[in-house]
Amino acid sequence: MPRDVVATKFWHALPDGRIQCDLCPRYCKLQEGQRGMCFVRARESDAIVLTTYGRSSGFCIDPIEKKPLNHFYPGSSVLSFGTAGCNLACRFCQNWDISKSREFSSLSDRASPDAIARAAKEHGCKSVAFTYNDPVIFIEYAIDVAEACRARGVKTVAVTAGYITAGPREELYRILDAANVDLKAFTERFYEKICAGQIAPVLETLEYIKRETDVWLELTTLLIPGKNDSDTELEEMTQWVVEHLGADVPMHFTAFHPDWKMLHHGPTPPATLTRARSIATGNGVRYAYTGNVHDPSGGSTYCHACGKLVIGRDGYELTEWNLVDHGQCRFCGARVAGVFDPEPGTWGQKRIPVRMADYA
Ligand code: SF4
């Protein structure tokens, strides 16, 4: 086997001779030589293998706010990378060059888990993020990277759609420190028609993370005009979040820009994001944000108890810090939900590529 092809365990043989991948709710049933819908898992020698272990489309140091995570070491830097492929097929994908890649020439960087952890440590990154495409499909690599990071005191973060089955879900979230999960909409129709998926497994993942793990959780919804931005849908979604996940899970409402198979669909007006944010807070969500637009007020954090500004933001730059200790409001003493150092990070909005060959 080439070194980027590794054995996997989330599959079983079917009586008709096919092999079923059990990693995500697509349950691809493969004949010898076939690839799954994610394209990176394939049947080889009567087993399912991952074909992109250790390969990446590139590494960059980003602000953690870009993931977006606003309550996980604000102001810190995160070493970000992705691989290729995806197990959803969202027509609006904003990373389609990576997620829909059908050839791996874009995977020019190779990096061992330990090299990634060392690079993050040497660059002073608080965390490493699996992002750009969904870590579910490269779970074996993601878990090894997370273990190497933990050994060096570096946190790990998943940016994911949460489309994963129960067993692998437990194995992945046992080792992660934070996740931003896309809750793409709150209708079955949207998941079916626009993402070629189902909503139920995503909601199960969210409840699992919140109830069964210590992983810090934030949610992102990309609002697409006319598709998932009605008052009714936003009311139902935010009520569900408060009821099932609690008031402390931050929600990010981000702007759609025409992309991939939705090039002729108009962008999200900023007023839609503000409306979503106000519906969320009206339903009891304590921390709701606008994203992908210039909106310092919608991107800042306010104390849920006294309403005062506790973290000011302009884009990815922190402009004010009114937390003391590890996340206590300076004005009223209430504890703001999240994971905070006593002082904010100072990374700002820089984006710096990292050459992994230097850590080989
Ligand atoms: S992980 Fe890939 S191969 Fe496995 S079920 Fe999902 S899409 Fe299919």
Side-chain angles (χ1 to χ4, degrees):
M1 270 187 194
R3 63 184 168 153
D4 36 10
V5 176
V6 296
T8 72
K9 62 181 181 183
F10 305 114
W11 55 268
H12 72 279
L14 295 171
D16 65 6
R18 294 179 300 169
I19 290 185
Q20 175 174 308
C21 175
D22 297 320
L23 174 54
C24 94
R26 294 205 173 281
Y27 297 115
C28 295
K29 296 167 184 62
L30 306 178
Q31 308 278 9
E32 188 64 21
Q34 280 185 325
R35 287 175 179 270
M37 184 265 181
C38 60
F39 202 67
V40 299
R41 304 179 85 84
R43 177 169 170 179
E44 276 183 24
S45 309
D46 282 336
I48 304 268
V49 294
L50 167 65
T51 60
T52 54
Y53 188 99
R55 294 182 68 180
S56 164
S57 51
F59 289 78
C60 250
I61 306 178
D62 287 327
I64 191 74
E65 286 75 13
K66 197 170 179 189
K67 297 305 100 191
L69 285 172
N70 280 357
H71 294 237
F72 187 74
Y73 301 111
S76 67
S77 58
V78 51
L79 179 62
S80 304
F81 77 99
T83 61
C86 190
N87 57 338
L88 285 172
C90 305
R91 298 173 66 80
F92 52 84
C93 184
Q94 314 269 299
N95 283 324
W96 60 269
D97 48 336
I98 294 169
S99 62
K100 290 294 130 206
S101 179
R102 284 290 179 266
E103 34 137 324
F104 300 148
S105 55
S106 60
L107 297 180
S108 49
D109 261 359
R110 286 179 186 272
S112 71
D114 190 57
I116 295 171
R118 267 189 296 124
K121 193 82 187 170
E122 281 178 29
H123 282 279
C125 297
K126 192 86 188 175
S127 55
V128 164
F130 311 115
T131 179
Y132 310 140
N133 72 328
D134 203 306
V136 166
I137 61 168
F138 59 93
I139 186 170
E140 293 80 7
Y141 187 32
I143 287 174
D144 287 356
V145 172
E147 280 171 352
C149 285
R150 188 159 282 184
R152 288 180 184 268
V154 175
K155 311 289 183 192
T156 44
V157 168
V159 180
T160 174
Y163 207 55
I164 186 169
T165 53
R169 181 189 289 146
E170 267 179 47
E171 294 208 21
L172 181 61
Y173 286 96
R174 143 190 89 70
I175 185 75
L176 295 176
D177 297 289
N180 186 302
V181 179
D182 263 357
L183 180 53
K184 293 174 184 285
F186 207 62
T187 61
E188 193 61 60
R189 182 180 163 78
F190 184 101
Y191 268 88
E192 263 176 27
K193 298 270 179 214
I194 299 190
C195 307
Q198 305 161 292
I199 191 172
V202 180
L203 300 183
E204 276 165 29
T205 297
L206 295 177
E207 293 194 272
Y208 173 79
I209 295 172
K210 195 61 198 164
R211 288 190 188 156
E212 310 289 335
T213 76
D214 293 327
V215 173
W216 175 252
L217 173 66
E218 301 192 19
L219 306 180
T220 296
T221 304
L222 184 81
L223 291 177
I224 304 174
K227 300 289 183 194
N228 61 354
D229 66 340
S230 73
D231 281 0
T232 311
E233 185 164 350
L234 292 168
E235 291 281 359
E236 287 173 4
M237 174 192 283
T238 54
Q239 284 165 9
W240 183 90
V241 167
V242 172
E243 192 180 327
H244 292 258
L245 309 179
D248 280 340
V249 174
M251 297 189 75
H252 300 257
F253 298 102
T254 59
F256 161 81
H257 301 292
D259 220 327
W260 186 225
K261 292 186 178 169
M262 290 183 79
L263 278 173
H264 303 297
H265 206 88
T268 313
T272 300
L273 307 178
T274 308
R275 175 169 56 85
R277 184 166 169 253
S278 113
I279 289 174
T281 51
N283 280 326
V285 173
R286 285 178 165 174
Y287 317 104
Y289 299 98
T290 59
N292 285 354
V293 285
H294 184 237
D295 177 14
S297 138
S300 295
T301 304
Y302 302 87
C303 173
H304 62 275
C306 70
K308 294 217 169 101
L309 178 72
V310 285
I311 308 173
R313 294 185 188 85
D314 188 353
Y316 302 132
E317 200 90 51
L318 301 192
T319 54
E320 203 158 331
W321 183 261
N322 289 314
L323 294 175
V324 293
D325 192 14
H326 289 79
Q328 214 176 342
C329 172
R330 185 192 300 285
F331 307 107
C332 74
R335 178 80 45 199
V336 173
V339 188
F340 302 100
D341 275 337
E343 298 295 327
T346 55
W347 180 253
Q349 51 192 350
K350 298 187 288 292
R351 181 158 208 267
I352 298 182
V354 173
R355 251 174 53 90
M356 286 312 295
D358 298 342
Y359 296 88

